[in-house]
Amino acid sequence: MTDTPVAEMSFEQAMAELEQVVTQLERGEVPLEESISLYQRGSELRKHCETKLKAAEEKVAAITLDANGEPAGTKPVEGL
């Protein structure tokens, strides 16, 4: 686990750390207090990843297609 604030992480960094957290929790080899801290960190990482994914989905949804289904350009997405 890193000391990097979750808000400063890229999607890939957050996912990698989230996978580590899940692995540690699944093993069940950490003390209760550490498990609670890991769970809280994992929750923050999950929310961060969901936010990043939603932003990416909105950008992808903004790609306009022509009559043949080919990308024809983009349109601005409100709020980005």
Side-chain angles (χ1 to χ4, degrees):
M1 220 166 60
T2 67
D3 292 330
T4 306
V6 173
E8 295 176 11
M9 291 180 155
S10 68
F11 174 80
E12 293 77 12
Q13 291 170 320
M15 277 299 295
E17 186 171 331
L18 182 56
E19 288 174 4
Q20 291 174 357
V21 166
V22 169
T23 298
Q24 287 181 296
L25 289 172
E26 285 179 339
R27 285 190 190 140
E29 298 174 355
V30 293
L32 179 60
E33 289 300 318
E34 187 177 344
S35 292
I36 293 168
S37 294
L38 282 170
Y39 182 84
Q40 290 171 334
R41 178 76 173 185
S43 180
E44 290 177 41
L45 291 163
R46 180 191 59 81
K47 288 177 187 175
H48 182 69
C49 288
E50 285 177 350
T51 300
K52 292 280 191 181
L53 278 175
K54 184 175 180 186
E57 287 172 352
E58 288 175 355
K59 287 179 183 177
V60 170
I63 297 172
T64 58
L65 304 176
D66 64 17
N68 297 322
E70 297 294 321
T74 59
K75 63 178 181 177
V77 176
E78 195 171 313
L80 293 180

